[in-house]
Structure formats: structure tokens, C-alpha cells
Amino acid sequence: SYLPKPKCSFWDITLDESQAAIARCGMGQLYLRSNDQAHLQAYGDILCDASALADFEVRPGFERMGAIAVFRRQASGAWSITAVDWKHAGELVKPGDDNWEHAKWVWRCSLVTYMTSVNHLVRTHWIVANALSTSAREFLGPFHPIRRLLQVFTYNTPSINHNSALSLFPESGMLQRMTSFPYSELQRVFVHAAETFEFKTWPQEYEAVKLPQDVKSRLPIFQDGLEVYAGFQDFMTGYVSTYYPNDESVRLDAALQEYWKFPCVPQYAAALPALSRQALIDQLTRGAFDVTAYHELVGYVVAYTTDPAGAALQVRPGLDMADLQEFLAVNSLVAGTGTPMPMLVPSGEPGDEDWLYQLDCTVKGGQDPRKFQEVSRCYRILMERFKQISKTIEKRNAPGAGREIPCAVMDPMSFERSVSL
């Protein structure tokens, strides 16, 4: 098959229990929050809010996107879906109602559409990856230590993002044909994604999520993701400190000052703090995390789209599954964007070798060989740490360990080292 291999599967993705799995261990994790809606209070304490697209117009023959799923936590720790606030109909739908299956379908489609267009395409590809790639290449020389580092995490990114702009951005392009939006509204989606972009570290993202501590601490994107982020953070701290012992050394690097302006991506530049050594560490850490772990999270849709009743990027009245044209279009994109990049933790296979040598600035870069020795030490620690994290995640995903379905999107052994398309 040309499709990426699914990391989890659903016995029947339409079942009520599958909706809880999607919310707790799947794409719904990004949109969870405590129930603060008065009209939903009686139905449970957790919301999975996919209503952000409800105000966007759609073409004739389609329903508007937008739905909020409500979940109640049981004494056993399990979650049950109790209602869906269906925005297009202005109706609160409950299990057993005539529109129950359709309301769940709308919610799943709203999740995958928002995640794909906003989190994945605009924020990860066109803002973060584009900022890293363009600024490093335009302002940092080929043997600048930060350029050497970023070339690992921006491999093939200019080509990837250029192709995405040609195929997904234009009017009547692939993305508009797959979604239900007229082009003016799709443009509004892009603008919304850019205007609401924020730069936060992953621990800051965790703190900002409005969920009970015992709930969010067990979400795989945080339980696993915070460990992954800490690994990146320690590596970047060691790497940057090797070349920049203090803030003054950062200030005196004229090329780095230009790099920090990110003129090609003003949304990214506006979201960053003033340049300092710690700010540089945080920016590189979140950048590496975004193009590896986060990209794996928001780009992983194959488990939902390869079932016609799983999820799609449009909703038609009276249909609870994708029509043939939509099914083929979406999965053609999934297959076409599934070409693998080299792995972050190298497999050793031809074309997927160790990337430490790319960080060597000793000869042509004129750096002290002892600096590369320290970088090598940090690299070996990172690789070993990620292998251990992977083993821990495997245990958390084991049957009976507490997760409704395995969640491997934060498994370092599944990370590619740059965005793919």
C-alpha cells in the first residue's frame, strides 16, 4: 500500500466507545477542555471542542462544520460520550436520537478538518518549518553552528512547502476540493490559523490547557510528549551552550541577530520573545519538537480517513460517511504526503544514517574540536534517552495499561527528522 502504516486501529470507529478513544488517545487530545458551557453542564465535565469552524460558510450541498462532544468520567476512569452539540443544526444530540450517528460524524470531520488545515498545514508547515528553513538559509552561513543544527530539522523543507503551496493553497486546488469551503472562506481559515498562532514551549502548552490535573497529566500528548520535549530541551541547552556561553555571546553574533527577525514569516517573528540564549534554546527546542513530534501528531490521519465512515473534510446532509470522490481525494493526499523522511533516531539503513556528522563545524567552520566532542556527547545522550522513552511508551500502550487505544504519535522511534509531504 502507498498509504502510511496506521499506528492504531479501531474495531469500529463509529462506536460510542471509539469516540472516547479518539478524544483521550487520538486527534481529540488537542481540543479537550473542562466543561464551562452552561447548557452542557448536565452531560459531563469534559468537552472535546471542534466548533471553531462553525462560523465559516460552505458551498451549496454541504453542512457547516463544527461540533462539541461531551464526555462524562466514570468511577472506573473510563469516559463515555453523552452528547454532541451540533452547530449546523443548532441541536444538542444525545445517544439514541435520530441524528446521533450523524452528529458524531460531524464532530470527527470537524476535528480532522481543523487539525489538517490549521494545526498541520498553516502552523506547522507554513509558519514553523518555513521560518526555520528560510531564516537559517538566508542569514546563517553554511558552517554556522545553528545553521548546521537546523539543516537536520529542515531537510527538504523548501521543496515540501513549495509543493504544498502549489497544490493546497490555490483556488480549486486539492484542499479546497476536499473541503466544503468556498475559496474566500478557505482563505479565512488560513488567516485564522496565522492570526491565532502563538509561540509556547510544550510545558507552557500543558499549563495552559484547562483540564483537571489528573486528566491532562495522563493524556499521551503530555504524558509522553513532555518527556520527549525535555529530551530535546536538554540537547539544545547543551548544544547552544557549547557555542554561546552567555547572553553576550548571542548578542555579538550579527548573523544570529538577523536570523531572529524571521522576515519571511512575520507571524512567527511576532510571537517570539527578545533574543537571548534561553530564548534561542526554547525556539530551537520547540522548532525541533514541532517538525518531528508535533508534526507526527497533527499529520497522522490515516487511521481516520481510510475508513469511509471514519472522518473526512466535508459533511453532506443525510450522509454519515465520505462519498466516493471525497474518500479517494483525501486518501490520495494521505498517500502522496506519506513519503517518509529520514528518521530522527537513525535506523542505519541506506539513506537513513546517523546525522551527528552534520553538526561538525571543526574544519571548515573553524571551531575548536573540543566543542564537537561535547556536541557528540549530547547527541549520544539524546539518542539513548529517546530509545528509553520509546520503551516506556510501549509499556503505556500495552493492553490493560489504561489507554483505550495505543498512542504512538509521541514515540521518538516514529519521528521523521523534518516535515514531509
Side-chain angles (χ1 to χ4, degrees), residues 139-140 247-262 275-276:
F139 301 110
L140 305 178
D247 284 340
E248 180 69 7
S249 59
V250 171
R251 188 184 67 80
L252 293 175
D253 188 330
L256 204 54
Q257 296 289 331
E258 292 301 310
Y259 161 82
W260 200 252
K261 294 178 182 177
F262 297 100
L275 178 59
S276 65

Side-chain angles (χ1 to χ4, degrees), residues 98-267:
D98 290 342
N99 287 319
W100 179 237
E101 294 303 319
H102 189 71
K104 291 187 295 180
W105 164 249
V106 173
W107 173 69
R108 294 194 301 273
C109 291
S110 300
L111 283 173
V112 80
T113 302
Y114 191 88
M115 185 173 73
T116 298
S117 59
V118 174
N119 299 100
H120 183 194
L121 181 60
V122 176
R123 292 180 181 164
T124 306
H125 277 267
W126 292 349
I127 294 181
V128 177
N130 197 34
L132 298 179
S133 176
T134 56
S135 216
R137 283 165 173 76
E138 292 183 6
F139 301 110
L140 305 178
F143 291 98
H144 191 286
I146 302 304
R147 167 77 176 269
R148 301 292 287 187
L149 174 66
L150 286 177
Q151 73 181 12
V152 173
F153 296 102
T154 59
Y155 169 74
N156 211 31
T157 295
S159 175
I160 295 294
N161 282 350
H162 181 65
N163 287 336
S164 75
L166 293 177
S167 61
L168 301 177
F169 179 79
E171 185 172 8
S172 301
M174 292 179 66
L175 185 59
Q176 191 198 354
R177 289 182 63 84
M178 284 184 287
T179 66
S180 53
F181 304 117
Y183 190 61
S184 59
E185 291 297 276
L186 183 59
Q187 289 179 309
R188 284 186 59 220
V189 173
F190 294 154
V191 170
H192 159 79
E195 290 183 342
T196 55
F197 173 80
E198 295 180 311
F199 178 86
K200 294 177 182 175
T201 68
W202 202 238
Q204 288 171 337
E205 297 274 15
Y206 173 79
E207 292 301 327
V209 171
K210 296 179 180 179
L211 282 170
Q213 192 73 19
D214 63 320
V215 172
K216 68 178 179 179
S217 65
R218 292 184 60 81
L219 294 176
I221 61 170
F222 294 128
Q223 188 177 34
D224 304 338
L226 287 170
E227 294 177 2
V228 169
Y229 195 89
F232 274 127
Q233 181 92 25
D234 288 349
F235 172 77
M236 296 301 178
T237 299
Y239 186 90
V240 171
S241 299
T242 299
Y243 295 100
Y244 299 95
N246 50 46
D247 284 340
E248 180 69 7
S249 59
V250 171
R251 188 184 67 80
L252 293 175
D253 188 330
L256 204 54
Q257 296 289 331
E258 292 301 310
Y259 161 82
W260 200 252
K261 294 178 182 177
F262 297 100
C264 289
V265 192
Q267 299 87 353

Side-chain angles (χ1 to χ4, degrees), residues 10 12-33 40 46-54 63-72 79-89 91-94 99-116 119 219 301 304-305 309-316 319-321 404-405:
F10 297 90
D12 182 347
I13 199 170
T14 69
L15 296 176
D16 287 6
E17 50 264 40
S18 295
Q19 314 315 294
I22 291 169
R24 290 185 75 179
C25 297
M27 60 180 172
Q29 295 176 82
L30 286 169
Y31 311 103
L32 290 170
R33 59 186 174 89
L40 301 177
I46 305 293
L47 304 180
C48 189
D49 189 347
S51 64
L53 297 177
E63 291 181 5
R64 287 195 187 211
M65 291 286 179
I68 303 175
V70 188
F71 295 90
R72 177 175 286 120
W79 291 16
S80 59
I81 186 170
T82 58
V84 173
D85 187 358
W86 176 21
K87 297 302 182 180
H88 175 81
E91 180 181 343
L92 185 62
V93 188
K94 300 176 285 298
N99 287 319
W100 179 237
E101 294 303 319
H102 189 71
K104 291 187 295 180
W105 164 249
V106 173
W107 173 69
R108 294 194 301 273
C109 291
S110 300
L111 283 173
V112 80
T113 302
Y114 191 88
M115 185 173 73
T116 298
N119 299 100
L219 294 176
V301 298
Y304 310 104
T305 62
L313 278 69
Q314 57 181 232
V315 176
R316 291 186 181 272
L319 292 182
D320 303 338
M321 61 188 297
E404 283 87 348
I405 56 172

Side-chain angles (χ1 to χ4, degrees), residues 331-407:
N331 286 292
S332 294
L333 180 64
V334 172
T337 60
T339 303
M341 295 291 105
M343 303 303 287
L344 182 64
V345 179
S347 66
E349 297 180 1
D352 188 28
E353 294 92 2
D354 188 287
W355 47 270
L356 174 62
Y357 74 94
Q358 297 186 53
L359 307 182
D360 190 352
C361 303
T362 301
V363 181
K364 294 183 179 180
Q367 296 285 353
D368 187 332
R370 288 174 294 184
K371 292 183 177 180
F372 185 59
Q373 292 174 5
E374 176 60 18
V375 168
S376 300
R377 186 187 71 83
C378 294
Y379 175 86
R380 289 191 294 271
I381 292 173
L382 177 68
M383 293 296 106
E384 184 56 35
R385 187 169 181 176
F386 276 176
K387 290 173 184 177
Q388 292 302 316
I389 291 173
S390 178
K391 292 178 181 178
T392 300
I393 293 173
E394 186 176 355
K395 292 178 181 177
R396 291 171 181 158
N397 284 333
R403 293 181 176 176
E404 283 87 348
I405 56 172
C407 181

